[in-house]
Amino acid sequence: VYMSELRDKELQKDQLRFRRNIARISYILAYEVSKSFTYQKQETTTPLGVASTNTFSDKVVVISILRAGILMHQPFLEMFDRAENGYVSAYREHDGEDFKIKFETVICPKLEGKEVVY
């Protein structure tokens, strides 16, 4: 449903609905991405006692490409609330039929040993 609404020429004019559908799709994508993480067992004290739970052990960094990915950034940070984050500002520079990607700004933490989600 969300993808069909994103593609609908008339519904695209409703900016709030467009942004909301991007967020909904982002939550689903974040859930799917989380399946690729490494998990470890952890003991958690609950009101009913101690329970064995799983938590991901990967250090996560969420990086968005400004403009195209900005609507997806916040939902991913909400799903991975301990993640670091960064941004890339880039654009296509056209030369006839060819183009090059030009990077203006790259703001991100050190990425070594971390799971990068972009």
Side-chain angles (χ1 to χ4, degrees), residues 40-93:
Q40 65 186 22
K41 289 202 180 284
Q42 172 181 310
E43 297 296 316
T44 302
T45 302
T46 73
L48 301 176
V50 177
S52 179
T53 59
N54 290 319
T55 184
F56 55 86
S57 56
D58 295 324
K59 293 180 180 176
V60 178
V61 179
V62 175
I63 299 178
S64 291
I65 299 172
L66 292 178
R67 194 158 175 250
I70 199 72
L71 293 175
M72 300 176 81
H73 195 83
Q74 189 60 37
F76 270 81
L77 287 179
E78 288 173 10
M79 292 292 286
F80 309 129
D81 58 356
R82 293 187 179 139
E84 296 177 87
N85 69 95
Y87 295 95
V88 174
S89 174
Y91 65 94
R92 283 179 239 153
E93 185 176 84

